[in-house]
Amino acid sequence: MSNALNGIAPLPHLGIIRVEGEDAAKFLQGQLTQDFALLGQDQARLAAFCSAKGRMQASFIGFKRGPDEILLVTSRDILAPTLKRLSMFVLRAKARLSDASEAFSLYGMAGDAAASLAQMPWVKQDLGAASVVTLYPADGQPRALWVAPAGEAAPAGLPLDTSLWQWGEVRSAIASITVPIVEAFVPQMLNYESVGGVNFKKGCYPGQEVVARSQFRGTLKRRAYPAHSQAPLAAGQEVFHESDGEQPCGLVAQAAASPLGGWDAVVSLQTSAAQGGRLSLGGPQGAALQLEPLPYLLAADV
């Protein structure tokens, strides 16, 4: 299965928000779910930007390019509204936010191309002018995100189609926020607290009370699960359980065609619906959806 995930893929669907200035880390500390005040030069952060109700408006992989420069890698389809929303909070902070997507090249490295890198997720290494962030594996294949100034040579390796990289993202079971799912989930509904996307010890940020309450009062009733269907899957599709034909029990968060046939997805489901019974897409009579085991442990189970 994992042989398909081997090589170097261009990532035109991703963009970059650059945060510059002496207050860059301090500013992001007050806005995102992860700790940026303690961000080292050799680390990256998975983080979410939430509404006041704790709903994810964007997700990022963030890291420092320099002492006063942080890059946030995000989906291009939400970049402009996210940049606008974040910028509203700058106020007196010495931080400048800009769309730096054209200033950098982004590639995904999978399999042999990433085998020599650090294998712990969210480690950042500087290789020449490039910043390389280790990601969670997909089907056992190592993966990394390569970010370098535009014009730098691409990393060495076999060419990998972008669509296969996106399938690997789905197989890692860590969904990113895109337009169809903006404000659909609190971070735990996508397992972000289990894969390094939420820090519960840091200070306030928009939606923090809701996120904390979901965690510590046992009110979390939804989780993310890998799933497969023979029918096409897309972010934002509703999922139904045979026990209730009226109300959806979940939502497709991210999906991609599988090179092995059919479609794979990350679905956020009511935990009760994941216990058994037929799951279907779009309605009670829709195509069947099969859940698969998570490739990582949930924090609650450790």
Side-chain angles (χ1 to χ4, degrees):
M1 179 185 283
S2 57
N3 290 349
L5 282 174
N6 191 37
I8 303 291
L11 307 179
H13 58 292
L14 299 180
I16 290 176
I17 293 174
R18 174 158 45 194
V19 187
E20 298 173 279
E22 60 185 84
D23 291 344
K26 183 179 172 184
F27 167 70
L28 292 175
Q29 180 74 358
Q31 301 303 323
L32 308 184
T33 56
Q34 251 295 1
D35 192 317
F36 278 77
L38 299 176
L39 179 64
Q41 293 284 352
D42 58 350
Q43 300 169 315
R45 297 272 195 264
L46 175 68
F49 179 42
C50 297
S51 70
K53 294 180 179 176
R55 298 274 166 162
M56 299 169 75
Q57 297 175 324
S59 60
F60 312 100
I61 294 170
F63 59 88
K64 284 186 174 177
R65 278 284 299 177
D68 298 328
E69 181 187 13
I70 294 173
L71 301 186
L72 301 174
V73 180
T74 192
S75 179
R76 263 193 204 240
D77 69 343
I78 60 166
L79 191 148
T82 301
L83 176 58
K84 186 176 179 182
R85 213 170 279 137
L86 266 175
S87 297
M88 287 163 49
F89 294 102
V90 172
L91 304 176
R92 294 187 189 84
K94 292 176 181 168
R96 295 181 307 283
L97 279 68
S98 59
D99 179 350
S101 303
E102 302 310 316
F104 291 92
S105 300
L106 292 112
Y107 287 89
M109 308 169 72
D112 296 340
S116 63
L117 300 168
Q119 295 307 302
M120 281 289 290
W122 317 129
V123 169
K124 190 204 89 170
Q125 294 169 268
D126 292 323
L127 302 178
S131 302
V132 184
V133 176
T134 305
L135 306 175
Y136 269 72
D139 292 333
Q141 289 288 80
R143 300 184 316 126
L145 176 67
W146 187 96
V147 183
E152 288 288 319
L158 298 166
L160 179 68
D161 197 85
T162 302
S163 63
L164 284 173
W165 173 265
Q166 290 173 306
W167 173 67
E169 290 277 77
V170 168
R171 295 297 299 166
S172 78
I174 300 173
S176 301
I177 300 298
T178 55
V179 163
I181 59 168
V182 167
E183 295 198 19
F185 308 113
V186 297
Q188 293 97 324
M189 291 179 187
L190 292 181
N191 305 344
Y192 266 46
E193 88 301 337
S194 295
V195 291
V198 182
N199 184 316
F200 292 103
K201 298 188 176 77
K202 67 174 293 252
C204 293
Y205 56 88
Q208 185 216 0
E209 289 181 14
V210 178
V211 176
R213 198 160 58 236
S214 298
Q215 190 72 13
F216 298 115
R217 293 201 180 163
T219 54
L220 196 65
K221 303 276 193 295
R222 288 176 183 256
R223 282 290 188 191
Y225 303 88
H228 184 81
S229 179
Q230 290 308 310
L233 296 168
Q237 276 177 310
E238 292 181 331
V239 178
F240 287 77
H241 189 269
E242 62 182 2
S243 64
D244 185 352
E246 300 292 314
Q247 292 290 326
C249 64
L251 208 60
V252 175
Q254 194 164 338
S258 168
L260 310 171
W263 287 68
D264 286 312
V266 181
V267 296
S268 182
L269 281 186
Q270 292 171 0
T271 51
S272 56
Q275 302 306 314
R278 185 180 190 271
L279 295 168
S280 56
L281 281 167
Q285 308 308 316
L289 188 73
Q290 287 85 33
L291 297 189
E292 299 184 343
L294 270 170
Y296 49 77
L297 288 171
L298 292 174
D301 299 332
V302 176

